[in-house]
Amino acid sequence: MSDLYGVRVLAIDPPHRRVRMRVTVIHPDVSLADDASFFLRVFSEIARDDAPLGLAVTQDRCLDEAWVDTNTRWFVESVERIATRNYSVAEETKETEDTKEDEDDPDDDEEYIVGYPWENGLRFDEMPPKAAAELLRAEESRMGADYDVTVTDPRWIEHLTAGSWWRTASYDTRADQLLAGEAPAIPDLRHPAAVLKPFSGDNAPYHLAFSDDGRFLAVTCESPGELVVYDTFDRRECLRASHGDDYTSPWLMWVPGEPVITLRHHEEMLPQLAYDAVSGAPVEAPAQTGRVRSATGRYRTSYASGPAVALLSQSGDDRVVPLVPVGEGGDDTERVDPYEGVAFSADESKMFVASGSRVHVMDPADGRTLEVIENEGIEIRSLRVSPDGDYLAISGYSGELKVIIRRVSDHRAVTSHHIGGDWYPLQKYEMAWSPDGRWLAANLKFVTARSDWESKGGETRIFPVGLPTEFANEPS
């Protein structure tokens, strides 16, 4: 693998568990590496096997992206970028680095980008003046940044020496960024508690929903209209019902407060069907309306023209809640999907509405927009919220499909993962967060590599809510 960066240890402060690092971009296809995962990789790659960090982060672990993203928080407490170099002209630099690096005109300081030198086994303070000057000119002519990196224990940096420098193929991914005490509230996207295949052959799971007490998970098939209900305790199948092509892509909704699941024709042209999840028998049930409902059914969503969501009322007082445009220059919102794009907190005080790459946090009682959460340009395809309204589960697309857990209070991403691999040949995720807060479930639909996107089946994954609160393999 090609070297991507040059790194230099500027200073070490063991009492404060801090190291100051200089990072210089070498490869034209990368930018600054601000994520803590980068620094764990960089620190680990030069740690001796008998050093504390070398014992904790083996080479195999360092090469495992999922392991690094999950466990960086046990080693790196914070990363602060304190200075940048040539960052404002990064794109211009990228376009010219390849040709300029091969030129041999080091006296033209204004136009020449100095090639980053190869390691010579000497610290910066031990290098001959000419070699040290060459390293400095490479750092000053290229895009780079200085960072203060604070680790969780001074042992993790005891093998580092001020003045050490080296080229590295290390890169950054997306390390989990948890606040103190919040691990029990975060879904573990990398370790599903169960992987279910509700339907045989090429039949893919479609909609899914938890019962109000979280005891049952219902999953429907896109075509034909088949229903499966699982017990979330032991994942045993409690109910299976088939309805042929009459109920293709049915709407799925639990009766509020009851273990009764209802299915409705996707165009509402056939009678509602209902089943008792405990007995597995067909039953009569109150008519359900809308695409998604709040906990008690007080609010139910439906389609509205333009950037808005329709809220249905049992009293017949239906209304349309428009989204407020974000920023200046007019309306930049998109049409709302009332099923995939709307979720409610359990106390019904907040409604979360996805539009494009933004989530509008609204008061469903009066339609006010309370805040808008940016999602880093990622097109949102499915949105769900934790029962307490503190975390969003977002499946989105930005070159690849992934699921992001985002904190509502400060809008920061806590964890993310490409469930099932990259976006292709995975077409979509659809998610459900259990009302008891114990599970996050996702339907994965697989497609062929041909342009017709023919379904090739799929699966349902159930993820436990709660990340580890201790590093299991911390050395003594």
Side-chain angles (χ1 to χ4, degrees), residues 52-383:
L53 189 61
L55 291 169
V57 186
T58 63
Q59 183 178 11
D60 288 343
R61 286 176 170 178
C62 199
L63 294 173
D64 184 338
E65 290 187 0
W67 191 94
V68 171
D69 287 349
T70 300
N71 292 283
T72 292
R73 62 190 173 107
W74 305 118
F75 303 93
V76 181
E77 182 176 295
S78 65
V79 174
E80 180 185 1
R81 189 205 297 173
I82 60 173
T84 58
R85 296 177 304 283
N86 305 311
Y87 186 52
S88 60
V89 293
E91 294 303 321
E92 295 178 14
T93 301
K94 286 183 180 181
E95 294 174 358
T96 59
E97 272 186 9
D98 283 341
T99 57
K100 290 185 177 181
E101 189 168 342
D102 292 333
E103 295 176 7
D104 190 16
D105 186 13
D107 294 325
D108 188 357
D109 291 339
E110 294 298 321
E111 299 293 331
Y112 185 75
I113 296 180
V114 178
Y116 197 87
W118 293 91
E119 300 93 327
N120 56 15
L122 299 176
R123 297 194 311 267
F124 179 74
D125 57 297
E126 299 173 331
M127 296 170 66
K130 184 176 180 179
E134 180 184 0
L135 175 58
L136 282 175
R137 291 185 62 213
E139 293 174 342
E140 292 169 356
S141 67
R142 291 174 169 271
M143 178 167 56
D146 294 348
Y147 299 88
D148 278 345
V149 183
T150 302
V151 294
T152 59
D153 192 300
R155 292 178 298 162
W156 309 142
I157 55 174
E158 69 177 32
H159 64 287
L160 299 178
T161 304
S164 296
W165 62 278
W166 62 97
R167 299 167 68 107
T168 180
S170 292
Y171 54 94
D172 65 345
T173 44
R174 178 65 76 86
D176 293 349
Q177 301 181 49
L178 277 67
L179 298 177
E182 75 174 344
I186 308 302
D188 188 348
L189 301 176
R190 302 179 183 94
H191 303 99
V195 178
L196 309 173
K197 190 168 178 58
F199 310 108
S200 61
D202 295 339
N203 297 321
Y206 192 53
H207 294 325
L208 75 170
F210 285 98
S211 59
D212 283 5
D213 59 2
R215 178 182 173 185
F216 300 106
L217 173 64
V219 185
T220 61
C221 184
E222 186 170 12
S223 179
E226 192 170 0
L227 166 71
V228 180
V229 177
Y230 295 98
D231 188 308
T232 58
F233 178 74
D234 55 12
R235 264 74 70 180
R236 65 180 176 84
E237 186 177 303
C238 304
L239 162 67
R240 182 176 290 268
S242 183
H243 311 95
D245 292 333
D246 289 342
Y247 283 84
T248 297
S249 305
W251 296 112
L252 186 68
M253 186 174 289
W254 291 89
V255 175
E258 300 292 335
V260 175
I261 186 66
T262 67
L263 280 82
R264 307 194 320 271
H265 185 267
H266 67 283
E267 293 181 346
E268 310 280 3
M269 296 175 61
L270 296 175
Q272 171 183 285
L273 304 176
Y275 297 88
D276 186 308
V278 177
S279 66
V283 294
E284 294 294 324
Q288 301 301 301
T289 60
R291 301 295 175 255
V292 171
R293 64 168 174 83
S294 60
T296 67
R298 177 184 179 187
Y299 303 111
R300 297 168 181 265
T301 66
S302 188
Y303 289 102
S305 60
V309 57
L311 291 181
L312 309 180
S313 169
Q314 292 178 324
S315 64
D317 187 21
D318 302 345
R319 55 197 171 93
V320 173
V321 179
L323 302 188
V324 177
V326 179
E328 300 179 358
D331 193 345
D332 59 357
T333 54
E334 301 178 9
R335 185 175 180 181
V336 174
D337 183 334
Y339 179 77
E340 294 277 18
V342 184
F344 296 89
S345 59
D347 63 5
E348 301 181 317
S349 66
K350 291 181 179 179
M351 176 174 68
F352 300 83
V353 182
S355 175
S357 63
R358 298 183 173 95
V359 177
H360 296 246
V361 185
M362 310 181 75
D363 184 336
D366 57 19
R368 287 181 301 124
T369 297
L370 306 176
E371 59 180 323
V372 176
I373 299 175
E374 300 285 346
N375 199 44
E376 302 170 0
I378 296 174
E379 176 192 346
I380 300 172
R381 297 195 174 181
S382 181
L383 170 70

